[in-house]
Amino acid sequence: MARRIELLVGAAIGLGMTARAAADGGADFLLALSAGRLRVMGAPSLAAMLPIRDSNAFTDDFARSEILDRVAIPVFFGAAACDPRMSVEALLGRIRDAGYQGVANFPTAIHHDGAFRAALEQAGLGFGREVELIRAAPRFGLATLGYAKTRAEADALVDAGVGRLCLNFGWNSGGSQGVPSGVPIDQAAERARRVFAHVRRRAPGTLCFVEGGPIVGPGHLMQVCDASRADGYVGGSTLDRLPLEMSVMQTTSAFKTATLLRDEPAGEAERLPGLAGRSQAMRQLAARVARLVATDLPILVEGEPGSGRTTVARAIHQGSRRAGPLTLLDARENIGPRLFGGGGPAALLALRHSTVVVENADALPPTLRTQLADWIERGTFERFAKPGERVPRARLVLTHPPGGEALARSLSAQRLVVPPLRERLDDLPLLARAMLRGLHRGSGELDPGVLRFLMARSWPGNLRELAHVLTRAATEAPGGRITLAALEAQLGPASAVSAPSPTDERSWILDALRRHRFRRGETAAFLGIGRKTLYNRMRRLGIET
């Protein structure tokens, strides 16, 4: 049998809107199933197996009003054959008269096992009755699709003359209502290969389909189809529930985060070049910078690696409106001669209206610290300079990892503590936008849900790590649009966030917000406090989402 180049796709649905969308997307046929209707009502597919209503009347009602005569592709009716009061022939007559082109055995007893399944078969209400339905359908001019899980079930359907055989691997996993199938994708592929090879030896004209279990994406489908040479795929949850859940979640998230990107009157941080952020921590830092730039006092900028210490130093220089140069030095190198020279005009510290930034100041040797302390105290290179002869000098800014109190005291420097990114996650949308604007490839765009994904990270590398992630994502993104899938591939799941100390109230609340995707009502319930109490604590702690 020649291998089909293009796979056939059947869409098992329960709503007119998804039926038309599936048809527009290229589906070859539709299956109107009670499980599809229950999914769009918020119930899991397996609810179709429960005796909660007349399955056939339920399915026929929505299919007639929403699907039949509204699509140009064949529609199969998912028929429940288990009702002992029902005549199979009478049901098939109604299905034909309504305008369906085919019939499928669903709900199906193949999803039962053990003693209950055996009792169903013994009572004549199990899979055997479904086979009778499939055998009789062609007499009513109806095409057939038969669900099976085992080779024995497939054989029974082939004996009944089924036109389309769908090997089912159980309820789909994934999403909020998925059921773990327990069937690894490689085992599913091997099972399909064996069953389909057997079926084609017996009935070469039978079309073979796969469905369910671990097949939740096109990649999984191709792995199974390549191994089994399947003719097609039947999708239920994978075509309506999973895409709908993801789309609604991401779109809602986009509206939720839109307020974080709105244009507002610039605060002190926005007015100082290089400082982006509206969190309480950044507002406090920017206000302190604004006070210090008007002085010549030495400043020690303290913070974790990658938190933006050098950026703050640049902002100090620019905010001071100094016409001279900005010079960056590394204390791990021999910088003494450049700082002091021979005590003359060539010394960097003697350049008026300039700024000298000494990075990694924790590596300053003791002798150089003493020289800097003397220079700061006297304002001159000369030990015996006359009073009033202070030479013009540069502004001195030093960057230091956390714990710079001793150096600040010895140099009489004003300390500026730059908060790590994890303590100012409410600034992340502005930071991401500013970083994307600075990329050579343009501003870049973020898919819905990306901001919340980024805000769920702990960012141990701070701004440097964020910039690296965004740069890589924007460089590899088609058209410059950064997708959630691309970031997940690069960073892993958003749930990988270290737990904060319960004594740190701000971290405690931020962690709870992350766990509940920044839904305040759910966060308040999780913390055991009222929504208003949560709002008040967030406002007091400077958490803005």
Side-chain angles (χ1 to χ4, degrees), residues 348-403:
L348 289 176
L349 292 176
L351 296 179
R352 189 175 185 181
H353 303 307
S354 68
T355 301
V356 176
V357 179
V358 177
E359 297 185 296
N360 303 305
D362 54 312
L364 282 171
T367 54
L368 193 53
R369 293 191 186 197
T370 302
Q371 284 180 283
L372 283 173
D374 289 343
W375 174 77
I376 291 169
E377 181 182 355
R378 294 193 303 273
T380 178
F381 297 103
E382 302 296 333
R383 179 176 296 274
F384 302 107
K386 297 178 181 178
E389 290 186 356
R390 289 179 65 93
V391 286
R393 64 181 190 176
R395 174 189 287 285
L396 177 63
V397 180
L398 307 101
T399 69
H400 197 286

Side-chain angles (χ1 to χ4, degrees), residues 204-292:
T206 304
L207 295 175
C208 297
F209 292 77
V210 292
E211 179 188 19
I215 305 174
V216 295
H220 303 128
L221 171 63
M222 293 312 302
Q223 184 175 343
V224 174
C225 288
D226 284 346
S228 65
R229 302 176 68 86
D231 296 297
Y233 170 69
V234 174
S237 296
T238 54
L239 297 183
D240 57 17
R241 176 176 62 83
L242 292 174
L244 180 63
E245 284 181 357
M246 183 60 65
S247 177
V248 171
M249 179 192 71
Q250 292 186 359
T251 302
T252 303
S253 177
F255 280 101
K256 184 69 175 177
T257 56
T259 56
L260 297 173
L261 296 173
R262 65 180 180 269
D263 291 327
E264 295 180 351
E268 198 67 61
E270 283 73 32
R271 286 196 293 268
L272 288 169
L275 297 186
R278 295 170 184 159
S279 64
Q280 182 180 8
M282 283 308 293
R283 286 198 299 264
Q284 291 175 346
L285 176 64
R288 185 155 168 75
V289 169
R291 289 193 296 271
L292 290 176

Side-chain angles (χ1 to χ4, degrees), residues 1 158 161-165 199-200 202-209 231:
M1 178 178 177
V158 168
V162 71
R164 293 171 174 84
L165 173 73
V199 167
R200 285 168 178 147
R202 297 198 57 210
T206 304
L207 295 175
C208 297
F209 292 77
D231 296 297

Side-chain angles (χ1 to χ4, degrees), residues 168-179:
N168 186 278
F169 299 107
W171 306 105
N172 269 119
S173 55
S176 63
Q177 296 177 337
V179 179

Side-chain angles (χ1 to χ4, degrees), residues 103-233:
V103 65
N105 58 320
F106 189 90
T108 171
I110 66 172
H111 292 304
H112 296 305
D113 56 17
F116 182 67
R117 170 74 181 273
L120 284 176
E121 301 300 339
Q122 186 175 3
L125 302 176
F127 186 69
R129 190 165 166 85
E130 297 170 23
V131 173
E132 179 186 345
L133 174 85
I134 296 297
R135 190 188 307 276
R139 300 201 303 268
F140 292 82
L142 296 171
T144 55
L145 183 144
Y147 283 103
K149 273 189 175 182
T150 67
R151 178 181 292 193
E153 292 164 353
D155 276 339
L157 290 171
V158 168
D159 290 340
V162 71
R164 293 171 174 84
L165 173 73
C166 184
L167 186 63
N168 186 278
F169 299 107
W171 306 105
N172 269 119
S173 55
S176 63
Q177 296 177 337
V179 179
S181 66
V183 181
I185 193 71
D186 55 343
Q187 292 185 20
E190 176 59 19
R191 183 192 303 177
R193 186 192 66 78
R194 293 197 306 267
V195 171
F196 292 166
H198 173 74
V199 167
R200 285 168 178 147
R201 285 193 295 269
R202 297 198 57 210
T206 304
L207 295 175
C208 297
F209 292 77
V210 292
E211 179 188 19
I215 305 174
V216 295
H220 303 128
L221 171 63
M222 293 312 302
Q223 184 175 343
V224 174
C225 288
D226 284 346
S228 65
R229 302 176 68 86
D231 296 297
Y233 170 69

